[in-house]
Amino acid sequence: MSRFNLALRLLWRDSRSGELTILILALIIAVTSSTAIALFSDRLQRTMVNQAAEFLAADLVIDCSAPIAEDWLNKATQFGLLQAQTVDFPSVLIEHDEILLAAIKVVSNRYPLRGILKATTTEDYTSETTLHEGPVKGSVWVEKRILSALKLKIGDSLTIGEKPLTITHILTYEPDKKGNFYSFSPRVMINQTDLAATNSIQPGSHVHYFFQFSGEPQAILEFKQWLKPQLNPSQHLVDIHEDRPELGTALLRAERYLGLSSILVILISGVAIAMATRRYTERHFNATALLRCLGCQQQEILWLYSSQFVVLGALASALGCVLGWFAQEVLFQLLKDLLPQQLVSPSFGAVLFGFTIGVVVLLAFAMPPLLRLKQVSPLRVLRRDLEPLPASAWLVYSLSIGVIGLLILRYTTDIKMTATILGGG
Amino acid sequence: MQTQLKQTSNAIILTEDLGKAVVTSEGTLHILSSIDLIINSGESIAIIGESGSGKSTLISLLAGLDTPSSGSIKLKGKSLTEMNEDGRAALRNELIGFVFQSFQLLQGLTALENVMLPLELRGDKHAKAVATSLLNRVGLAQRLSHTPKQLSGGEQQRVALARAFATKPAILFADEPTGNLDSKTGETIINLLFELNRENQTTLILVTHDPILAARCQRTIRIDAGCIV
């Protein structure tokens, strides 16, 4: 019989006798709380990021005054990113002897990559609908101000530059509307395929090109890293953290707050695990002395108990993950009035994170007391008063502070703040 | 001289000038001094003496549970004093069985599992069959799945006897095996111990206060104030 099988049998026997109940409960509570918070913060954070991305209508945008190289678009395709383009420029509209300066927005297919458009086909807004694509070729969407200022109605023709287009919708919401000077001008939105026919863009025209990309966070990050060194001074790369600093900072703070609050739970759970393991090891001094007496070597003792703890940790963590999943669902239900209605689905990554935290915290907090078992003298079978030396304070503190420090660093990504929190604690 | 040589060649335990001393706040305390012993294979030895005379210390040294302050110990020709703790553990697993006054059964395990334990530590694939047979031999065939709490003191000591003989040890150390039992149960256990000892040709080292029990052994060693008298 292998040593691992023996460890499993001893684990089964211990659990059957109730020896492990407190430890298992402490572990499940630790993993449940850390998984629930990981899932809760991950879902909330991704929901917030998604909502924030709607302000850009994409995950990443290149803002420039001239079209970018075709190679860059090909590279984005290689990274598996979806693409859309918009072109913004001001234009004077003349209809029924009325003149109006409008902000023209030319959109490609797939626009918007993030978020939605809202438009209506009736002037009293009763038929407002949510749309995921802009106007089709030959049509134009306008803000209601355009209709009243130029004495137009839905179905009429509106000439943009040299191209007459049919008004099909009144635009009521666009996700990436900028807060600049031209936002005071009413919006006109047309399809990219009509741009050339308008003949509006001439040398010297004040035009902004926005090349938008969306996709997996890792692909976006890699594309961004590839792109950055190639940008010239007139080309700006924008994402939610750079384009809207106030929103980016709020997100960062929310991430840190939720992360640090989960560390507090993990720390409390860790202390519970350490206490439960200490009790477990003290109750196993006699059994360990007997095993030593029967010929078990020190490393075998350590392996026997640590492998039991790894199996125990994996099982309790798996159960904790399931309970954590339900706990975060309950949490979202309780807070549904305060949180965004459209939440993203829980991610497997967050569950895996909760599971890993469970096993790592178990080993970090349980290992020092567990190491005492290795030191149990076989002579204890005759002299019960022989206690193994306590685990060294250096080991206990360095393991627990190390794990907590890594977690704080993971959430804050700030060495100075990590040192401050650890120093203050 | 020839007798001495014959005894030495057949010796399973050999000690020379064995001593154990501990340093206390009041100075060095000599628990055992100048113990020279030759115990032959298959012999049964009783170690007797007053409480605190050093009996338990002597068997802890002979079994490799503790290390001496001076002198040497050889078990089956292997020097215990030159081994580290893991070496001594390996030797215990190979050569030694134990029976304790307080039974020392693992509370979470059944009678069968307790007996299987030393065999499992050896990696014996037939642990269950061997343990079942031994429990049958000590009269506990119907108690295999009972935990120590469900067994009487006498039954627990039977389980301990089965565990001690499970690995067919060359040497069995029994420390006051009847100390926690009433006289009738104690007698039954001792009869069983000697029967098993005879069947397995085991060298028995028995620590006891009881002169009647000691008399059942082939030889008696009396310890007083840490010395053989």
Side-chain angles (χ1 to χ4, degrees), chain B residues 97-111:
Chain B
F98 291 93
V99 178
F100 303 99
Q101 180 179 354
S102 55
F103 322 131
Q104 298 274 13
L105 299 178
L106 295 188
Q107 295 302 309
L109 309 193
T110 64

mmCIF file of all heavy atoms in Angstrom, chain B residues 97-111:
data_model
loop_
_atom_site.group_PDB
_atom_site.id
_atom_site.type_symbol
_atom_site.label_atom_id
_atom_site.label_comp_id
_atom_site.label_asym_id
_atom_site.label_seq_id
_atom_site.Cartn_x
_atom_site.Cartn_y
_atom_site.Cartn_z
ATOM 1 N N GLY B 97 8.466 -4.889 18.757
ATOM 2 C CA GLY B 97 7.049 -4.711 19.036
ATOM 3 C C GLY B 97 6.894 -4.151 20.443
ATOM 4 O O GLY B 97 7.780 -4.318 21.284
ATOM 5 N N PHE B 98 5.782 -3.458 20.675
ATOM 6 C CA PHE B 98 5.573 -2.846 22.005
ATOM 7 C C PHE B 98 4.194 -3.199 22.545
ATOM 8 O O PHE B 98 3.214 -3.255 21.806
ATOM 9 C CB PHE B 98 5.625 -1.316 21.896
ATOM 10 C CG PHE B 98 6.985 -0.754 21.570
ATOM 11 C CD1 PHE B 98 7.344 -0.511 20.257
ATOM 12 C CD2 PHE B 98 7.886 -0.457 22.575
ATOM 13 C CE1 PHE B 98 8.583 0.030 19.948
ATOM 14 C CE2 PHE B 98 9.132 0.075 22.272
ATOM 15 C CZ PHE B 98 9.476 0.322 20.956
ATOM 16 N N VAL B 99 4.161 -3.409 23.878
ATOM 17 C CA VAL B 99 2.875 -3.459 24.587
ATOM 18 C C VAL B 99 3.004 -2.497 25.762
ATOM 19 O O VAL B 99 3.991 -2.551 26.500
ATOM 20 C CB VAL B 99 2.561 -4.884 25.104
ATOM 21 C CG1 VAL B 99 1.242 -4.885 25.868
ATOM 22 C CG2 VAL B 99 2.491 -5.874 23.954
ATOM 23 N N PHE B 100 2.030 -1.582 25.875
ATOM 24 C CA PHE B 100 2.129 -0.536 26.908
ATOM 25 C C PHE B 100 1.076 -0.734 27.997
ATOM 26 O O PHE B 100 0.026 -1.339 27.757
ATOM 27 C CB PHE B 100 1.923 0.844 26.271
ATOM 28 C CG PHE B 100 2.884 1.138 25.154
ATOM 29 C CD1 PHE B 100 2.503 0.977 23.822
ATOM 30 C CD2 PHE B 100 4.171 1.571 25.416
ATOM 31 C CE1 PHE B 100 3.381 1.241 22.793
ATOM 32 C CE2 PHE B 100 5.056 1.842 24.383
ATOM 33 C CZ PHE B 100 4.661 1.678 23.065
ATOM 34 N N GLN B 101 1.382 -0.152 29.132
ATOM 35 C CA GLN B 101 0.427 -0.190 30.242
ATOM 36 C C GLN B 101 -0.906 0.463 29.836
ATOM 37 O O GLN B 101 -1.968 -0.028 30.186
ATOM 38 C CB GLN B 101 1.041 0.541 31.442
ATOM 39 C CG GLN B 101 0.144 0.580 32.652
ATOM 40 C CD GLN B 101 0.809 1.293 33.829
ATOM 41 O OE1 GLN B 101 1.983 1.663 33.770
ATOM 42 N NE2 GLN B 101 0.064 1.464 34.902
ATOM 43 N N SER B 102 -0.796 1.565 29.118
ATOM 44 C CA SER B 102 -2.019 2.312 28.759
ATOM 45 C C SER B 102 -2.505 1.950 27.348
ATOM 46 O O SER B 102 -3.175 2.762 26.701
ATOM 47 C CB SER B 102 -1.742 3.809 28.862
ATOM 48 O OG SER B 102 -0.616 4.137 28.067
ATOM 49 N N PHE B 103 -2.162 0.801 26.874
ATOM 50 C CA PHE B 103 -2.620 0.202 25.609
ATOM 51 C C PHE B 103 -2.144 0.964 24.355
ATOM 52 O O PHE B 103 -1.786 0.360 23.368
ATOM 53 C CB PHE B 103 -4.152 0.049 25.543
ATOM 54 C CG PHE B 103 -4.784 -0.339 26.839
ATOM 55 C CD1 PHE B 103 -5.885 0.340 27.339
ATOM 56 C CD2 PHE B 103 -4.259 -1.388 27.597
ATOM 57 C CE1 PHE B 103 -6.465 -0.008 28.547
ATOM 58 C CE2 PHE B 103 -4.841 -1.760 28.820
ATOM 59 C CZ PHE B 103 -5.937 -1.056 29.297
ATOM 60 N N GLN B 104 -2.240 2.291 24.370
ATOM 61 C CA GLN B 104 -1.785 3.139 23.252
ATOM 62 C C GLN B 104 -2.436 2.752 21.933
ATOM 63 O O GLN B 104 -1.764 2.629 20.910
ATOM 64 C CB GLN B 104 -0.253 3.061 23.106
ATOM 65 C CG GLN B 104 0.519 3.546 24.297
ATOM 66 C CD GLN B 104 0.755 5.041 24.269
ATOM 67 O OE1 GLN B 104 0.136 5.748 23.482
ATOM 68 N NE2 GLN B 104 1.623 5.538 25.116
ATOM 69 N N LEU B 105 -3.746 2.589 21.968
ATOM 70 C CA LEU B 105 -4.461 2.365 20.703
ATOM 71 C C LEU B 105 -4.918 3.718 20.157
ATOM 72 O O LEU B 105 -5.200 4.638 20.927
ATOM 73 C CB LEU B 105 -5.684 1.476 20.941
ATOM 74 C CG LEU B 105 -5.399 0.073 21.495
ATOM 75 C CD1 LEU B 105 -6.725 -0.666 21.719
ATOM 76 C CD2 LEU B 105 -4.505 -0.722 20.558
ATOM 77 N N LEU B 106 -4.980 3.828 18.840
ATOM 78 C CA LEU B 106 -5.474 5.074 18.245
ATOM 79 C C LEU B 106 -6.999 5.088 18.336
ATOM 80 O O LEU B 106 -7.668 4.188 17.830
ATOM 81 C CB LEU B 106 -5.010 5.207 16.795
ATOM 82 C CG LEU B 106 -3.495 5.342 16.595
ATOM 83 C CD1 LEU B 106 -3.170 5.660 15.162
ATOM 84 C CD2 LEU B 106 -2.902 6.395 17.513
ATOM 85 N N GLN B 107 -7.508 6.113 19.007
ATOM 86 C CA GLN B 107 -8.941 6.145 19.335
ATOM 87 C C GLN B 107 -9.844 6.186 18.103
ATOM 88 O O GLN B 107 -10.955 5.672 18.128
ATOM 89 C CB GLN B 107 -9.238 7.352 20.234
ATOM 90 C CG GLN B 107 -8.569 7.280 21.598
ATOM 91 C CD GLN B 107 -8.966 6.037 22.379
ATOM 92 O OE1 GLN B 107 -10.152 5.741 22.526
ATOM 93 N NE2 GLN B 107 -7.986 5.287 22.852
ATOM 94 N N GLY B 108 -9.362 6.799 17.038
ATOM 95 C CA GLY B 108 -10.213 6.928 15.847
ATOM 96 C C GLY B 108 -10.278 5.674 15.001
ATOM 97 O O GLY B 108 -11.076 5.597 14.069
ATOM 98 N N LEU B 109 -9.433 4.715 15.306
ATOM 99 C CA LEU B 109 -9.368 3.510 14.476
ATOM 100 C C LEU B 109 -10.101 2.342 15.118
ATOM 101 O O LEU B 109 -10.197 2.265 16.339
ATOM 102 C CB LEU B 109 -7.913 3.105 14.236
ATOM 103 C CG LEU B 109 -6.932 4.158 13.725
ATOM 104 C CD1 LEU B 109 -5.653 3.467 13.251
ATOM 105 C CD2 LEU B 109 -7.514 4.978 12.602
ATOM 106 N N THR B 110 -10.579 1.448 14.306
ATOM 107 C CA THR B 110 -11.209 0.229 14.821
ATOM 108 C C THR B 110 -10.106 -0.715 15.308
ATOM 109 O O THR B 110 -8.911 -0.480 15.060
ATOM 110 C CB THR B 110 -12.009 -0.484 13.719
ATOM 111 O OG1 THR B 110 -11.086 -0.902 12.708
ATOM 112 C CG2 THR B 110 -13.069 0.411 13.121
ATOM 113 N N ALA B 111 -10.537 -1.796 15.960
ATOM 114 C CA ALA B 111 -9.569 -2.794 16.431
ATOM 115 C C ALA B 111 -8.758 -3.322 15.248
ATOM 116 O O ALA B 111 -7.528 -3.421 15.306
ATOM 117 C CB ALA B 111 -10.318 -3.931 17.117
#
